[in-house]
PDB file of all heavy atoms in Angstrom:
ATOM      1  N   GLY A  93       0.822  -1.196   0.028  1.00 96.00           N
ATOM      2  CA  GLY A  93       0.026  -0.064   0.046  1.00 96.00           C
ATOM      3  C   GLY A  93       0.861   1.267   0.028  1.00 96.00           C
ATOM      4  O   GLY A  93       0.505   2.283   0.603  1.00 96.00           O
ATOM      5  N   ILE A  94       1.937   1.214  -0.706  1.00 97.00           N
ATOM      6  CA  ILE A  94       2.918   2.301  -0.621  1.00 97.00           C
ATOM      7  C   ILE A  94       2.420   3.441  -1.641  1.00 97.00           C
ATOM      8  O   ILE A  94       2.010   3.194  -2.783  1.00 97.00           O
ATOM      9  CB  ILE A  94       4.278   1.791  -1.093  1.00 97.00           C
ATOM     10  CG1 ILE A  94       4.795   0.775  -0.044  1.00 97.00           C
ATOM     11  CG2 ILE A  94       5.319   3.046  -1.202  1.00 97.00           C
ATOM     12  CD1 ILE A  94       6.001  -0.109  -0.633  1.00 97.00           C
ATOM     13  N   THR A  95       2.427   4.646  -1.140  1.00 96.00           N
ATOM     14  CA  THR A  95       1.912   5.771  -1.978  1.00 96.00           C
ATOM     15  C   THR A  95       3.015   6.435  -2.751  1.00 96.00           C
ATOM     16  O   THR A  95       4.135   6.268  -2.437  1.00 96.00           O
ATOM     17  CB  THR A  95       1.182   6.860  -1.003  1.00 96.00           C
ATOM     18  OG1 THR A  95       2.248   7.466  -0.291  1.00 96.00           O
ATOM     19  CG2 THR A  95       0.177   6.291  -0.178  1.00 96.00           C
ATOM     20  N   SER A  96       2.504   7.137  -3.781  1.00 96.00           N
ATOM     21  CA  SER A  96       3.525   7.811  -4.610  1.00 96.00           C
ATOM     22  C   SER A  96       4.295   8.880  -3.852  1.00 96.00           C
ATOM     23  O   SER A  96       5.313   9.366  -4.317  1.00 96.00           O
ATOM     24  CB  SER A  96       2.881   8.474  -5.751  1.00 96.00           C
ATOM     25  OG  SER A  96       1.851   9.426  -5.411  1.00 96.00           O
ATOM     26  N   LYS A  97       3.864   9.342  -2.677  1.00 94.00           N
ATOM     27  CA  LYS A  97       4.691  10.278  -1.954  1.00 94.00           C
ATOM     28  C   LYS A  97       5.547   9.472  -0.836  1.00 94.00           C
ATOM     29  O   LYS A  97       5.895  10.147   0.157  1.00 94.00           O
ATOM     30  CB  LYS A  97       3.584  11.149  -1.162  1.00 94.00           C
ATOM     31  CG  LYS A  97       2.782  12.015  -2.167  1.00 94.00           C
ATOM     32  CD  LYS A  97       1.955  13.025  -1.439  1.00 94.00           C
ATOM     33  CE  LYS A  97       1.075  13.694  -2.373  1.00 94.00           C
ATOM     34  NZ  LYS A  97       1.648  14.859  -3.044  1.00 94.00           N
ATOM     35  N   THR A  98       5.831   8.419  -1.204  1.00 95.00           N
ATOM     36  CA  THR A  98       6.801   7.563  -0.318  1.00 95.00           C
ATOM     37  C   THR A  98       8.095   8.258   0.223  1.00 95.00           C
ATOM     38  O   THR A  98       8.771   8.790  -0.795  1.00 95.00           O
ATOM     39  CB  THR A  98       7.045   6.175  -0.952  1.00 95.00           C
ATOM     40  OG1 THR A  98       7.848   5.400  -0.068  1.00 95.00           O
ATOM     41  CG2 THR A  98       7.703   6.307  -2.243  1.00 95.00           C
ATOM     42  N   PRO A  99       8.516   8.145   1.253  1.00 95.00           N
ATOM     43  CA  PRO A  99       9.817   8.683   1.738  1.00 95.00           C
ATOM     44  C   PRO A  99      10.896   7.781   1.161  1.00 95.00           C
ATOM     45  O   PRO A  99      12.187   8.110   1.343  1.00 95.00           O
ATOM     46  CB  PRO A  99       9.767   8.679   3.260  1.00 95.00           C
ATOM     47  CG  PRO A  99       8.703   7.595   3.623  1.00 95.00           C
ATOM     48  CD  PRO A  99       7.759   7.594   2.447  1.00 95.00           C
ATOM     49  N   TRP A 100      10.700   6.583   0.654  1.00 94.00           N
ATOM     50  CA  TRP A 100      11.702   5.691   0.158  1.00 94.00           C
ATOM     51  C   TRP A 100      12.087   5.918  -1.166  1.00 94.00           C
ATOM     52  O   TRP A 100      13.039   5.276  -1.695  1.00 94.00           O
ATOM     53  CB  TRP A 100      11.166   4.332   0.317  1.00 94.00           C
ATOM     54  CG  TRP A 100      10.609   3.858   1.675  1.00 94.00           C
ATOM     55  CD1 TRP A 100       9.409   3.538   1.953  1.00 94.00           C
ATOM     56  CD2 TRP A 100      11.444   3.931   2.886  1.00 94.00           C
ATOM     57  NE1 TRP A 100       9.318   3.374   3.403  1.00 94.00           N
ATOM     58  CE2 TRP A 100      10.579   3.519   3.906  1.00 94.00           C
ATOM     59  CE3 TRP A 100      12.713   4.211   3.223  1.00 94.00           C
ATOM     60  CZ2 TRP A 100      10.926   3.446   5.194  1.00 94.00           C
ATOM     61  CZ3 TRP A 100      13.129   4.027   4.537  1.00 94.00           C
ATOM     62  CH2 TRP A 100      12.143   3.692   5.492  1.00 94.00           C
ATOM     63  N   SER A 101      11.585   7.025  -1.907  1.00 92.00           N
ATOM     64  CA  SER A 101      11.943   7.192  -3.245  1.00 92.00           C
ATOM     65  C   SER A 101      13.414   7.529  -3.478  1.00 92.00           C
ATOM     66  O   SER A 101      13.901   7.426  -4.643  1.00 92.00           O
ATOM     67  CB  SER A 101      11.053   8.315  -3.881  1.00 92.00           C
ATOM     68  OG  SER A 101      11.176   9.529  -3.159  1.00 92.00           O
ATOM     69  N   GLU A 102      14.078   7.932  -2.458  1.00 92.00           N
ATOM     70  CA  GLU A 102      15.588   8.314  -2.597  1.00 92.00           C
ATOM     71  C   GLU A 102      16.369   6.931  -2.483  1.00 92.00           C
ATOM     72  O   GLU A 102      17.564   6.984  -2.710  1.00 92.00           O
ATOM     73  CB  GLU A 102      15.990   9.341  -1.645  1.00 92.00           C
ATOM     74  CG  GLU A 102      15.221  10.641  -1.813  1.00 92.00           C
ATOM     75  CD  GLU A 102      15.997  11.815  -1.593  1.00 92.00           C
ATOM     76  OE1 GLU A 102      17.210  11.776  -1.240  1.00 92.00           O
ATOM     77  OE2 GLU A 102      15.368  12.891  -1.672  1.00 92.00           O
ATOM     78  N   LYS A 103      15.839   5.912  -2.004  1.00 93.00           N
ATOM     79  CA  LYS A 103      16.540   4.716  -1.649  1.00 93.00           C
ATOM     80  C   LYS A 103      15.997   3.534  -2.620  1.00 93.00           C
ATOM     81  O   LYS A 103      16.661   2.450  -2.494  1.00 93.00           O
ATOM     82  CB  LYS A 103      16.436   4.256  -0.311  1.00 93.00           C
ATOM     83  CG  LYS A 103      16.924   5.286   0.679  1.00 93.00           C
ATOM     84  CD  LYS A 103      16.808   4.788   2.203  1.00 93.00           C
ATOM     85  CE  LYS A 103      17.467   5.751   3.077  1.00 93.00           C
ATOM     86  NZ  LYS A 103      18.895   5.730   3.157  1.00 93.00           N
ATOM     87  N   ALA A 104      15.049   3.711  -3.317  1.00 95.00           N
ATOM     88  CA  ALA A 104      14.434   2.734  -4.234  1.00 95.00           C
ATOM     89  C   ALA A 104      13.928   3.312  -5.506  1.00 95.00           C
ATOM     90  O   ALA A 104      13.582   4.471  -5.592  1.00 95.00           O
ATOM     91  CB  ALA A 104      13.399   1.935  -3.480  1.00 95.00           C
ATOM     92  N   GLY A 105      13.769   2.427  -6.542  1.00 95.00           N
ATOM     93  CA  GLY A 105      13.040   2.740  -7.664  1.00 95.00           C
ATOM     94  C   GLY A 105      11.610   2.645  -7.390  1.00 95.00           C
ATOM     95  O   GLY A 105      11.108   1.797  -6.572  1.00 95.00           O
ATOM     96  N   VAL A 106      10.751   3.582  -8.009  1.00 97.00           N
ATOM     97  CA  VAL A 106       9.394   3.683  -7.750  1.00 97.00           C
ATOM     98  C   VAL A 106       8.652   3.485  -9.115  1.00 97.00           C
ATOM     99  O   VAL A 106       8.957   4.296  -9.992  1.00 97.00           O
ATOM    100  CB  VAL A 106       9.022   4.971  -7.144  1.00 97.00           C
ATOM    101  CG1 VAL A 106       7.581   5.148  -6.853  1.00 97.00           C
ATOM    102  CG2 VAL A 106       9.843   5.092  -5.758  1.00 97.00           C
ATOM    103  N   THR A 107       7.647   2.624  -9.104  1.00 97.00           N
ATOM    104  CA  THR A 107       6.818   2.543 -10.427  1.00 97.00           C
ATOM    105  C   THR A 107       5.938   3.761 -10.436  1.00 97.00           C
ATOM    106  O   THR A 107       5.663   4.511  -9.451  1.00 97.00           O
ATOM    107  CB  THR A 107       5.919   1.211 -10.363  1.00 97.00           C
ATOM    108  OG1 THR A 107       4.974   1.324  -9.195  1.00 97.00           O
ATOM    109  CG2 THR A 107       6.765  -0.007 -10.202  1.00 97.00           C
ATOM    110  N   ARG A 108       5.299   3.897 -11.603  1.00 95.00           N
ATOM    111  CA  ARG A 108       4.294   4.882 -11.851  1.00 95.00           C
ATOM    112  C   ARG A 108       3.175   4.407 -10.987  1.00 95.00           C
ATOM    113  O   ARG A 108       2.973   3.104 -10.868  1.00 95.00           O
ATOM    114  CB  ARG A 108       3.840   4.959 -13.226  1.00 95.00           C
ATOM    115  CG  ARG A 108       4.934   5.569 -14.223  1.00 95.00           C
ATOM    116  CD  ARG A 108       4.364   5.762 -15.599  1.00 95.00           C
ATOM    117  NE  ARG A 108       3.931   4.604 -16.245  1.00 95.00           N
ATOM    118  CZ  ARG A 108       4.617   3.841 -16.963  1.00 95.00           C
ATOM    119  NH1 ARG A 108       5.885   4.190 -17.196  1.00 95.00           N
ATOM    120  NH2 ARG A 108       4.176   2.605 -17.588  1.00 95.00           N
ATOM    121  N   PRO A 109       2.199   5.292 -10.579  1.00 95.00           N
ATOM    122  CA  PRO A 109       1.026   4.730  -9.793  1.00 95.00           C
ATOM    123  C   PRO A 109       0.244   3.784 -10.669  1.00 95.00           C
ATOM    124  O   PRO A 109       0.126   4.112 -11.891  1.00 95.00           O
ATOM    125  CB  PRO A 109       0.341   6.050  -9.533  1.00 95.00           C
ATOM    126  CG  PRO A 109       1.266   7.166  -9.595  1.00 95.00           C
ATOM    127  CD  PRO A 109       2.266   6.624 -10.622  1.00 95.00           C
ATOM    128  N   TYR A 110      -0.105   2.624 -10.161  1.00 94.00           N
ATOM    129  CA  TYR A 110      -0.939   1.753 -10.985  1.00 94.00           C
ATOM    130  C   TYR A 110      -2.331   1.588 -10.408  1.00 94.00           C
ATOM    131  O   TYR A 110      -3.144   1.027 -11.181  1.00 94.00           O
ATOM    132  CB  TYR A 110      -0.157   0.361 -10.936  1.00 94.00           C
ATOM    133  CG  TYR A 110      -0.374  -0.357  -9.557  1.00 94.00           C
ATOM    134  CD1 TYR A 110      -1.416  -1.153  -9.309  1.00 94.00           C
ATOM    135  CD2 TYR A 110       0.580  -0.163  -8.539  1.00 94.00           C
ATOM    136  CE1 TYR A 110      -1.641  -1.836  -8.064  1.00 94.00           C
ATOM    137  CE2 TYR A 110       0.451  -0.753  -7.250  1.00 94.00           C
ATOM    138  CZ  TYR A 110      -0.609  -1.612  -7.169  1.00 94.00           C
ATOM    139  OH  TYR A 110      -0.886  -2.219  -5.835  1.00 94.00           O
ATOM    140  N   THR A 111      -2.655   2.324  -9.360  1.00 94.00           N
ATOM    141  CA  THR A 111      -3.990   2.367  -8.894  1.00 94.00           C
ATOM    142  C   THR A 111      -4.125   3.397  -7.854  1.00 94.00           C
ATOM    143  O   THR A 111      -3.248   4.026  -7.429  1.00 94.00           O
ATOM    144  CB  THR A 111      -4.556   0.949  -8.207  1.00 94.00           C
ATOM    145  OG1 THR A 111      -6.001   1.060  -8.104  1.00 94.00           O
ATOM    146  CG2 THR A 111      -3.886   0.668  -6.910  1.00 94.00           C
ATOM    147  N   THR A 112      -5.419   3.610  -7.422  1.00 93.00           N
ATOM    148  CA  THR A 112      -5.534   4.696  -6.398  1.00 93.00           C
ATOM    149  C   THR A 112      -6.373   4.008  -5.281  1.00 93.00           C
ATOM    150  O   THR A 112      -7.034   3.069  -5.478  1.00 93.00           O
ATOM    151  CB  THR A 112      -6.328   5.918  -6.877  1.00 93.00           C
ATOM    152  OG1 THR A 112      -7.639   5.459  -7.401  1.00 93.00           O
ATOM    153  CG2 THR A 112      -5.596   6.577  -8.041  1.00 93.00           C
ATOM    154  N   ALA A 113      -6.336   4.801  -4.129  1.00 92.00           N
ATOM    155  CA  ALA A 113      -7.172   4.296  -2.963  1.00 92.00           C
ATOM    156  C   ALA A 113      -7.590   5.570  -2.241  1.00 92.00           C
ATOM    157  O   ALA A 113      -6.875   6.586  -2.318  1.00 92.00           O
ATOM    158  CB  ALA A 113      -6.331   3.390  -1.965  1.00 92.00           C
ATOM    159  N   ILE A 114      -8.664   5.429  -1.502  1.00 91.00           N
ATOM    160  CA  ILE A 114      -9.065   6.589  -0.627  1.00 91.00           C
ATOM    161  C   ILE A 114      -8.672   6.244   0.807  1.00 91.00           C
ATOM    162  O   ILE A 114      -9.076   5.275   1.376  1.00 91.00           O
ATOM    163  CB  ILE A 114     -10.595   6.713  -0.730  1.00 91.00           C
ATOM    164  CG1 ILE A 114     -11.113   6.913  -2.229  1.00 91.00           C
ATOM    165  CG2 ILE A 114     -11.078   8.002   0.114  1.00 91.00           C
ATOM    166  CD1 ILE A 114     -10.519   8.039  -2.980  1.00 91.00           C
ATOM    167  N   ASP A 115      -7.972   7.254   1.406  1.00 87.00           N
ATOM    168  CA  ASP A 115      -7.555   6.996   2.819  1.00 87.00           C
ATOM    169  C   ASP A 115      -8.651   7.347   3.803  1.00 87.00           C
ATOM    170  O   ASP A 115      -9.750   7.691   3.367  1.00 87.00           O
ATOM    171  CB  ASP A 115      -6.310   7.851   3.080  1.00 87.00           C
ATOM    172  CG  ASP A 115      -6.433   9.284   3.140  1.00 87.00           C
ATOM    173  OD1 ASP A 115      -7.612   9.786   3.157  1.00 87.00           O
ATOM    174  OD2 ASP A 115      -5.454  10.029   3.060  1.00 87.00           O
ATOM    175  N   ALA A 116      -8.426   7.216   4.998  1.00 87.00           N
ATOM    176  CA  ALA A 116      -9.373   7.374   6.159  1.00 87.00           C
ATOM    177  C   ALA A 116      -9.910   8.814   6.163  1.00 87.00           C
ATOM    178  O   ALA A 116     -11.160   9.048   6.729  1.00 87.00           O
ATOM    179  CB  ALA A 116      -8.691   7.071   7.477  1.00 87.00           C
ATOM    180  N   LYS A 117      -9.280   9.717   5.627  1.00 92.00           N
ATOM    181  CA  LYS A 117      -9.657  11.136   5.595  1.00 92.00           C
ATOM    182  C   LYS A 117     -10.379  11.470   4.353  1.00 92.00           C
ATOM    183  O   LYS A 117     -10.692  12.686   4.088  1.00 92.00           O
ATOM    184  CB  LYS A 117      -8.517  12.114   5.707  1.00 92.00           C
ATOM    185  CG  LYS A 117      -7.765  11.941   7.103  1.00 92.00           C
ATOM    186  CD  LYS A 117      -6.579  12.878   7.149  1.00 92.00           C
ATOM    187  CE  LYS A 117      -5.851  12.717   8.449  1.00 92.00           C
ATOM    188  NZ  LYS A 117      -4.612  13.489   8.600  1.00 92.00           N
ATOM    189  N   GLY A 118     -10.600  10.448   3.504  1.00 93.00           N
ATOM    190  CA  GLY A 118     -11.310  10.755   2.154  1.00 93.00           C
ATOM    191  C   GLY A 118     -10.409  11.272   1.120  1.00 93.00           C
ATOM    192  O   GLY A 118     -10.956  11.630   0.010  1.00 93.00           O
ATOM    193  N   LYS A 119      -9.113  11.128   1.371  1.00 94.00           N
ATOM    194  CA  LYS A 119      -8.178  11.760   0.338  1.00 94.00           C
ATOM    195  C   LYS A 119      -7.717  10.716  -0.603  1.00 94.00           C
ATOM    196  O   LYS A 119      -7.397   9.527  -0.136  1.00 94.00           O
ATOM    197  CB  LYS A 119      -7.013  12.430   1.098  1.00 94.00           C
ATOM    198  CG  LYS A 119      -6.284  13.321   0.279  1.00 94.00           C
ATOM    199  CD  LYS A 119      -5.266  14.136   1.161  1.00 94.00           C
ATOM    200  CE  LYS A 119      -4.629  15.193   0.325  1.00 94.00           C
ATOM    201  NZ  LYS A 119      -3.671  15.992   1.057  1.00 94.00           N
ATOM    202  N   GLU A 120      -7.642  10.893  -1.828  1.00 95.00           N
ATOM    203  CA  GLU A 120      -7.174   9.928  -2.828  1.00 95.00           C
ATOM    204  C   GLU A 120      -5.680   9.761  -2.673  1.00 95.00           C
ATOM    205  O   GLU A 120      -4.949  10.802  -2.629  1.00 95.00           O
ATOM    206  CB  GLU A 120      -7.526  10.310  -4.279  1.00 95.00           C
ATOM    207  CG  GLU A 120      -7.107   9.291  -5.224  1.00 95.00           C
ATOM    208  CD  GLU A 120      -7.537   9.743  -6.683  1.00 95.00           C
ATOM    209  OE1 GLU A 120      -6.877  10.539  -7.296  1.00 95.00           O
ATOM    210  OE2 GLU A 120      -8.607   9.246  -7.106  1.00 95.00           O
ATOM    211  N   ARG A 121      -5.069   8.647  -2.740  1.00 94.00           N
ATOM    212  CA  ARG A 121      -3.726   8.412  -2.767  1.00 94.00           C
ATOM    213  C   ARG A 121      -3.371   7.434  -3.969  1.00 94.00           C
ATOM    214  O   ARG A 121      -4.135   6.481  -4.176  1.00 94.00           O
ATOM    215  CB  ARG A 121      -3.151   7.915  -1.434  1.00 94.00           C
ATOM    216  CG  ARG A 121      -4.103   7.053  -0.659  1.00 94.00           C
ATOM    217  CD  ARG A 121      -3.537   6.609   0.690  1.00 94.00           C
ATOM    218  NE  ARG A 121      -4.150   5.289   0.933  1.00 94.00           N
ATOM    219  CZ  ARG A 121      -3.560   4.343   1.629  1.00 94.00           C
ATOM    220  NH1 ARG A 121      -2.336   4.346   1.968  1.00 94.00           N
ATOM    221  NH2 ARG A 121      -4.228   3.204   1.735  1.00 94.00           N
ATOM    222  N   LYS A 122      -2.241   7.710  -4.490  1.00 96.00           N
ATOM    223  CA  LYS A 122      -1.773   6.922  -5.688  1.00 96.00           C
ATOM    224  C   LYS A 122      -0.866   5.843  -5.132  1.00 96.00           C
ATOM    225  O   LYS A 122       0.121   6.180  -4.417  1.00 96.00           O
ATOM    226  CB  LYS A 122      -1.148   7.795  -6.749  1.00 96.00           C
ATOM    227  CG  LYS A 122      -2.027   8.830  -7.299  1.00 96.00           C
ATOM    228  CD  LYS A 122      -1.437   9.683  -8.235  1.00 96.00           C
ATOM    229  CE  LYS A 122      -2.412  10.747  -8.786  1.00 96.00           C
ATOM    230  NZ  LYS A 122      -1.788  11.525  -9.795  1.00 96.00           N
ATOM    231  N   ILE A 123      -1.030   4.618  -5.534  1.00 96.00           N
ATOM    232  CA  ILE A 123      -0.335   3.438  -5.057  1.00 96.00           C
ATOM    233  C   ILE A 123       0.773   3.046  -5.986  1.00 96.00           C
ATOM    234  O   ILE A 123       0.509   2.859  -7.268  1.00 96.00           O
ATOM    235  CB  ILE A 123      -1.280   2.323  -4.795  1.00 96.00           C
ATOM    236  CG1 ILE A 123      -2.376   2.756  -3.875  1.00 96.00           C
ATOM    237  CG2 ILE A 123      -0.485   1.082  -4.133  1.00 96.00           C
ATOM    238  CD1 ILE A 123      -1.950   3.240  -2.534  1.00 96.00           C
ATOM    239  N   VAL A 124       2.016   2.701  -5.477  1.00 97.00           N
ATOM    240  CA  VAL A 124       3.067   2.360  -6.318  1.00 97.00           C
ATOM    241  C   VAL A 124       3.752   1.109  -5.767  1.00 97.00           C
ATOM    242  O   VAL A 124       3.481   0.699  -4.643  1.00 97.00           O
ATOM    243  CB  VAL A 124       4.166   3.519  -6.358  1.00 97.00           C
ATOM    244  CG1 VAL A 124       3.567   4.750  -6.907  1.00 97.00           C
ATOM    245  CG2 VAL A 124       4.704   3.774  -4.976  1.00 97.00           C
ATOM    246  N   LEU A 125       4.697   0.516  -6.464  1.00 98.00           N
ATOM    247  CA  LEU A 125       5.571  -0.580  -6.043  1.00 98.00           C
ATOM    248  C   LEU A 125       7.007  -0.097  -6.035  1.00 98.00           C
ATOM    249  O   LEU A 125       7.292   0.791  -6.764  1.00 98.00           O
ATOM    250  CB  LEU A 125       5.431  -1.879  -6.908  1.00 98.00           C
ATOM    251  CG  LEU A 125       4.022  -2.386  -7.017  1.00 98.00           C
ATOM    252  CD1 LEU A 125       3.940  -3.367  -8.143  1.00 98.00           C
ATOM    253  CD2 LEU A 125       3.587  -2.946  -5.737  1.00 98.00           C
ATOM    254  N   LEU A 126       7.809  -0.706  -5.098  1.00 98.00           N
ATOM    255  CA  LEU A 126       9.249  -0.346  -5.054  1.00 98.00           C
ATOM    256  C   LEU A 126      10.033  -1.446  -5.727  1.00 98.00           C
ATOM    257  O   LEU A 126       9.786  -2.627  -5.604  1.00 98.00           O
ATOM    258  CB  LEU A 126       9.605  -0.133  -3.582  1.00 98.00           C
ATOM    259  CG  LEU A 126       8.896   0.964  -2.792  1.00 98.00           C
ATOM    260  CD1 LEU A 126       9.380   0.959  -1.381  1.00 98.00           C
ATOM    261  CD2 LEU A 126       8.931   2.299  -3.491  1.00 98.00           C
ATOM    262  N   VAL A 127      11.187  -0.965  -6.372  1.00 97.00           N
ATOM    263  CA  VAL A 127      12.136  -1.968  -7.037  1.00 97.00           C
ATOM    264  C   VAL A 127      13.511  -1.490  -6.540  1.00 97.00           C
ATOM    265  O   VAL A 127      13.742  -0.416  -6.060  1.00 97.00           O
ATOM    266  CB  VAL A 127      11.988  -1.910  -8.463  1.00 97.00           C
ATOM    267  CG1 VAL A 127      10.590  -2.447  -8.920  1.00 97.00           C
ATOM    268  CG2 VAL A 127      12.295  -0.716  -9.158  1.00 97.00           C
TER     269      VAL A 127
END
């Protein structure tokens, strides 16, 4: 459930967002995978 605003982007490769999810506050977040 890693978001596109991940703090790990300086330590890992990040895919483009492949889906979205709505968080508890009703805010949309873009989901990515790390490589």
Side-chain angles (χ1 to χ4, degrees):
I94 300 167
T95 70
S96 59
K97 296 186 186 273
T98 179
W100 306 117
S101 61
E102 299 212 4
K103 297 185 178 279
V106 179
T107 64
R108 291 186 300 270
Y110 72 91
T111 193
T112 60
I114 306 298
D115 68 14
K117 296 178 182 177
K119 199 170 190 184
E120 183 179 80
R121 31 183 210 142
K122 296 177 181 181
I123 306 301
V124 299
L125 301 171
L126 303 179
V127 300

